[in-house]
Amino acid sequence: MKAWAARAALQLALPVVLVIGWWVWSESNDSFFFPPLREIVQAFEDAWIWERVGSDVLPSMTRLLAGFGLAVAAGVAVGLLLGSSRLAYRAALPLIEFLRALPPPAIIPFGVLVFGLGDGMKVVVIAAGSVWPILLNTIQGVRSIDPRFVEVNRAYRVRARDRLCHTTLPAASPHIFAGLRASLSIAVILMVLSEMTASTNGVGFFLVQSQRGFALPEMWAAIVLLGIIGCAVNAVLVMIQHRLLAWHEGARGSALSEVR
Amino acid sequence: MVLDVVNLSKAYGHGERSTLAIESLTFSVRAGEFVCIVGPSGCGKTTLLRSLSGLVKPSGGQALIHGSPVDGPPEAMALVFQDYSRSLFPWMTVARNVAFPLRRKRMPKAERDAAVAESLAAVGLADAAERYPWQLSGGMQQRVAIARALAYKPEILLMDEPFASVDAQTRSDLEDLLLSVWEAVDVTVVFVTHDIDEAVYLGDRVVVLSPSPCTVDRIVTVDLPRPRDQLTTKSLPRYVDLRTEVFSAIVKRPAPDG
């Protein structure tokens, strides 16, 4: 309990000091670009608790989750396929390397042309930009499965469906989760960017509208909210990872203690 | 005969660069028998076992189960590997590891659960069902692997140096556990080892392999009484004689007279 409290105090100290410093400094400073933190907090309260949650936060989160969900489904499915077949992997790798190297925002103009300004475009842009880390990590995870697991399954004549669901997928899941973490931050970036480029609602839209209207406290409030959203979705993913990969952490822990 | 190995050979690679792991092996195993296969290290024991289990295709000859050739992992066989830590799935509990190979056998869940519980009890791990393999010691993990093989209800249990990576005390415990299980269950055991003492202590017969490329050097019948016991069996003069016979066959030195 004591150690826990000490750690929390240490981790909170720096942010608290910075916020207090910002508060004091922005109070006494009449820069237009750095309005008093008090005003930003006020703007945050006015906009996000809870007035614009339904009109802006909800659409943003829906697009984010739909796009990311699509990326997860496609990345894992195609990754399992390409990871299991050396031929397919070799054939697809150059293409994947090229598509992955494309800066994700570069597809936004194309998305706008083909899918218009609606939610469909944003979901597609988020999915298409964030799928690559999931895809590559899934391939890597499938390819690095211990060959002994494959042999056990062959010796016991395990059915293909059980091999996939109960061996390949769990064995690759530590890699897959590493991909999910990387993809999620790309997905958040693309959500904001697509809303800033072409949208009529969403947090990104609100941010750019505030900036254009020189409503600086509102703009800052939107930036703070985006930071909170980014942290929150990542925290949820980490929680799911801890649950699903408890075996992996446990197995790694016991392997390490054997070495010691 | 439950298992016949006829002129089995296995080469790796092609053409001039191929290496012969097994030259030509012929032996048979009777139903219910406990046969140990020993040979000098690197003599192709594991290759033999992988050919018997249908994991690799032999280059020549064949293995027959009840007269029909093995061309893929046979239904009637269960395999226990040496490296227990890599052959159990770390994301499954002990019970789920044991149950996993049974999924394709169409049996009601209650029957499956009963088979799992029964096999875990047979290896003395009834209490560990809900734990994970990595929470168990090496010896316990290998007992889980044995339980998984037993639950599969094979006719033939193939074991590839299963006790080679546990400490000596655990090893003799596992040997006795295996003997008691074998006596309780109607199963034929083919047990590959490099340990001469282990082979003589466990087996009804010991198939001694020659160095690579391997052939059957001789087959020693172990006429020691059962049930066997680590202390009394190993102090019998007959045990010492048999051990010497197998040892001298492996190191190619004539047995001392007397």
Side-chain angles (χ1 to χ4, degrees):
Chain A
M1 183 64 199
K2 232 177 170 179
W4 174 85
R7 218 181 72 183
L10 181 69
Q11 289 179 339
L12 281 175
L14 194 57
V16 165
V17 166
L18 282 178
V19 167
I20 291 173
W22 185 7
W23 189 286
V24 172
W25 172 78
S26 61
E27 239 5 274
S28 60
N29 151 312
D30 47 8
S31 159
F32 174 72
F33 301 108
F34 296 99
L37 187 50
R38 185 172 35 82
E39 284 178 28
I40 297 175
V41 170
Q42 190 56 52
F44 190 95
E45 247 185 76
D46 291 346
W48 307 127
I49 307 175
W50 305 93
E51 177 158 346
R52 306 190 69 100
V53 167
S55 60
D56 287 310
V57 180
L58 202 63
S60 289
M61 294 304 289
T62 309
R63 289 163 194 151
L64 176 66
L65 293 184
F68 183 64
L70 207 62
V72 174
V76 171
V78 177
L80 287 173
L81 195 79
L82 294 184
S84 320
S85 156
R86 190 181 294 243
L87 191 72
Y89 172 71
R90 285 203 180 137
L93 192 64
L95 183 65
I96 293 173
E97 288 293 340
F98 174 75
L99 290 174
R100 170 175 91 113
L102 275 180
I107 56 176
I108 292 179
F110 171 77
V112 171
L113 268 186
V114 177
F115 298 100
L117 303 179
D119 287 339
M121 177 276 282
K122 296 177 188 72
V123 170
V124 167
V125 163
I126 293 169
S130 66
V131 72
W132 308 109
I134 304 176
L135 177 62
L136 288 166
N137 277 278
T138 304
I139 294 174
Q140 199 52 47
V142 173
R143 286 170 63 86
S144 59
I145 287 178
D146 192 326
R148 180 46 49 84
F149 290 154
V150 178
E151 251 179 21
V152 168
N153 279 339
R154 280 187 59 207
Y156 285 107
R157 300 155 54 104
V158 174
R159 283 177 307 189
R161 197 184 51 194
D162 289 336
R163 286 202 303 263
L164 181 70
C165 298
H166 298 287
T167 306
T168 311
L169 204 52
S173 59
H175 277 94
I176 294 176
F177 264 95
L180 294 182
R181 302 274 299 273
S183 287
L184 185 58
S185 49
I186 299 178
V188 173
I189 293 172
L190 286 172
M191 172 199 85
V192 177
L193 215 51
S194 65
E195 289 176 350
M196 286 168 71
T197 315
S199 191
T200 52
N201 61 5
V203 183
F205 169 75
F206 179 84
L207 170 64
V208 84
Q209 281 300 104
S210 307
Q211 180 248 346
R212 284 174 187 156
F214 298 105
L216 269 289
E218 283 73 17
M219 183 197 82
W220 277 105
I223 293 175
V224 171
L225 179 71
L226 287 172
I228 293 171
I229 289 176
C231 283
V233 290
N234 192 56
V236 169
L237 187 61
V238 169
M239 235 166 60
I240 297 172
Q241 176 175 354
H242 277 310
R243 274 199 78 99
L244 290 184
L245 295 188
W247 64 267
H248 184 242
E249 283 153 31
R252 223 171 37 175
S254 74
L256 284 177
S257 67
E258 246 166 62
V259 172
R260 268 188 224 120
Chain B
M1 289 299 164
V2 58
L3 176 68
D4 285 290
V5 180
V6 185
N7 295 326
L8 186 90
S9 69
K10 176 66 191 172
Y12 287 108
H14 296 285
E16 287 180 10
R17 297 183 62 191
S18 75
T19 50
L20 202 56
I22 299 175
E23 191 165 289
S24 173
L25 280 181
T26 302
F27 64 91
S28 297
V29 180
R30 285 188 290 275
E33 202 178 10
F34 198 127
V35 169
C36 293
I37 298 174
V38 283
S41 41
C43 76
K45 296 188 292 280
T46 295
T47 304
L48 165 62
L49 205 121
R50 291 165 58 88
S51 308
L52 292 186
S53 59
L55 287 176
V56 299
K57 231 181 153 56
S59 313
Q62 54 191 356
L64 303 149
I65 294 179
H66 294 304
S68 50
V70 171
D71 59 347
E75 178 93 53
M77 235 177 223
L79 202 52
V80 175
F81 296 91
Q82 178 188 338
D83 40 5
Y84 46 80
S85 64
R86 288 171 56 211
S87 80
L88 298 172
F89 299 115
W91 50 85
M92 294 183 191
T93 61
V94 164
R96 292 202 52 204
N97 262 291
V98 175
F100 186 53
L102 306 181
R103 290 176 72 95
R104 54 171 283 278
K105 301 199 173 191
R106 299 187 186 284
M107 52 166 87
K109 192 179 175 304
E111 195 182 319
R112 195 160 78 192
D113 291 348
V116 170
E118 193 188 323
S119 332
L120 281 175
V123 299
L125 283 179
D127 294 338
E130 294 312 315
R131 298 176 73 185
Y132 284 88
W134 36 269
Q135 295 173 318
L136 307 177
S137 69
M140 288 164 92
Q141 289 181 44
Q142 195 57 298
R143 275 148 69 192
V144 175
I146 293 171
R148 175 171 66 183
L150 290 175
Y152 197 63
K153 299 222 181 341
E155 272 187 84
I156 306 170
L157 182 56
L158 284 184
M159 307 183 87
D160 183 14
E161 306 203 23
F163 308 148
S165 33
V166 296
D167 61 81
Q169 175 62 47
T170 308
R171 183 177 190 140
S172 45
D173 291 347
L174 286 173
E175 286 167 4
D176 290 334
L177 175 87
L178 177 61
L179 283 182
S180 69
V181 165
W182 169 70
E183 264 151 40
V185 181
D186 186 23
V187 68
T188 309
V189 178
V190 177
F191 188 102
V192 171
T193 178
H194 62 263
D195 185 315
I196 296 162
D197 292 273
E198 187 169 73
V200 174
Y201 177 68
L202 292 174
D204 291 322
R205 286 186 302 150
V206 177
V207 177
V208 182
L209 302 180
S210 70
S212 183
C214 87
T215 55
V216 175
D217 185 277
R218 70 177 72 181
I219 296 178
V220 176
T221 302
V222 182
D223 46 4
L224 294 169
R226 292 192 190 268
R228 292 182 186 164
D229 176 89
Q230 294 282 355
L231 281 179
T232 53
T233 302
K234 286 187 175 173
S235 56
L236 292 173
R238 184 65 190 142
Y239 173 82
V240 179
D241 289 348
L242 287 165
R243 195 194 167 284
T244 308
E245 185 181 348
V246 173
F247 184 78
S248 55
I250 286 177
V251 300
K252 286 285 165 250
R253 258 195 329 220
D257 292 321

